Amino acid sequence: MTLGERLREARVRAELTLDSAASQTRIKRDYLEALESMDPRGLPSRAYAVGYLRTYSAFLGLDAAGCIDQFKREVECETGRSQPTAPQEKREIRLPRGTIGTAAILIAVVAMAGWYGHYISQRETLTAASQPMEALISAEANAEARIPRAPARPDEIWAGLPGPRSAGAVVLEAGAPVHLEVRDASGRILVSRLLEPGDIYRAPDEPGLVISASDAGAVLIRAAGRPLGALGERGEALDNAPVSEFLLAAMSGQGGR
C-alpha cells in the first residue's frame, strides 16, 4: 500500500471525513487530501509537509516515523512531481541550403539593418528631447540646494516608532529544531528559516502578523513581557495563526491579576 492509501484507510476505519479530520488536527482539508492522494503539488514546502504528515499520522494512530520515511521514499523531489519527467528530445538545427536559404538570410539581414536604423533614429530623437529637461532639473536642484534648511531634531526623527520594550512585543524562542515563518498583514514574509534550540526572534510591534511553525510545541512565546508557553502541542503543525490571539491572551492574563 502507498502512504496515501494507508492514511485514507486509517481515516475511514476511524469513521472520519476529511472535514472532521481537518477540524480536529487544525490542518487544511486541501493538505490532508493531497497527503492521501500523494500529490506533492497540493502540499507546501517539504518542512511543512513533513510536519503535517507527522501530526496527521499520529492522529490516525499510525507510526509517524515510519510514515515520514515512506513519504520521503515516494516523493523524491521538491518540484511538485513524484516521478521525474522524461528528457526532451534534442532537435538538430540545420542551416538552410540552396536558393531558399540564401533568400532567407538576405531577408534577415535587411530586416536587421532596418531595425538598427530605426533604433539609432529614435535614440537621437530622445537624446535631443531630454537635454532641455535635464538642464531644467539641474537648475531646480541647484536652487533647492541653496535654500537653507533647519536641522532636524532627534525627537522628530524618531517620533511614532515603537519603543524597544513595547507592551505588544512578541518574542519567539525555539526549544527544539523547528522551521518558523512570520508574515505581515500584506502577506510579506518577515522571517522563514530553521531555528536551533535557544534561537530567538522578536516580531515587530504591528497588527496583522501571522505565525506558521512545523512543530508548534517547539516554539515558546512571550507576549507583552509575559511567558505564554508553547504555541501548541508537540508535533502539531501551526499554519498562519494570528499573533493577535496571543496578545489577547496576554492582556486577559494581566487583567485577571
Side-chain angles (χ1 to χ4, degrees):
M1 295 177 63
T2 65
L3 175 60
E5 292 172 345
R6 292 177 58 194
L7 294 173
R8 188 182 304 107
E9 183 184 53
R11 175 177 58 80
V12 173
R13 187 169 54 248
E15 297 182 353
L16 294 171
T17 64
L18 281 174
D19 291 329
S20 61
S23 175
Q24 296 184 48
T25 60
R26 298 183 63 185
I27 301 175
K28 290 182 179 180
R29 184 186 187 280
D30 294 342
Y31 292 164
L32 298 183
E33 188 174 4
L35 285 173
E36 291 188 359
S37 61
M38 290 306 294
D39 183 6
R41 293 171 296 182
L43 292 173
S45 63
R46 170 158 291 195
Y48 287 109
V50 170
Y52 295 149
L53 176 59
R54 179 184 293 108
T55 300
Y56 191 37
S57 57
F59 169 73
L60 296 176
L62 300 175
D63 178 19
C67 290
I68 292 173
D69 290 340
Q70 186 175 358
F71 175 79
K72 292 179 178 180
R73 290 195 304 271
E74 294 181 1
V75 182
E76 299 177 354
C77 58
E78 301 278 356
T79 60
R81 300 170 184 257
S82 58
Q83 296 295 335
T85 57
Q88 296 181 352
E89 296 181 358
K90 296 183 179 179
R91 296 183 178 178
E92 183 179 358
I93 301 176
R94 298 181 180 179
L95 294 176
R97 297 179 181 179
T99 305
I100 298 178
T102 303
I105 293 175
L106 289 176
I107 293 173
V109 171
V110 172
M112 181 62 70
W115 173 84
Y116 184 74
H118 178 73
Y119 169 75
I120 294 297
S121 176
Q122 291 291 330
R123 183 175 179 180
E124 291 176 352
T125 302
L126 292 175
T127 301
S130 64
Q131 288 178 352
M133 182 61 68
E134 292 177 354
L136 178 60
I137 294 175
S138 177
E140 292 180 351
N142 293 333
E144 185 178 358
R146 290 193 295 269
I147 299 176
R149 299 191 179 190
R153 296 182 303 175
D155 56 345
E156 294 178 349
I157 296 175
W158 303 106
L161 296 179
R165 299 183 179 274
S166 174
V170 173
V171 178
L172 305 172
E173 180 177 357
V178 60
H179 189 277
L180 179 71
E181 181 177 287
V182 179
R183 295 175 180 261
D184 62 11
S186 66
R188 180 172 59 94
I189 297 178
L190 304 179
V191 63
S192 179
R193 62 187 179 92
L194 180 65
L195 301 182
E196 297 296 335
D199 288 351
I200 292 178
Y201 173 73
R202 183 182 296 273
D205 185 8
E206 61 183 58
L209 297 181
V210 293
I211 304 174
S212 298
S214 58
D215 188 349
V219 182
L220 305 177
I221 181 170
R222 298 195 303 273
R226 299 178 62 251
L228 301 179
L231 293 177
E233 299 295 333
R234 195 59 184 270
E236 176 186 6
L238 193 66
D239 185 24
N240 292 331
V243 173
S244 59
E245 295 182 358
F246 303 107
L247 293 178
L248 290 175
M251 294 175 61
S252 62
Q254 291 176 349
R257 290 186 299 176

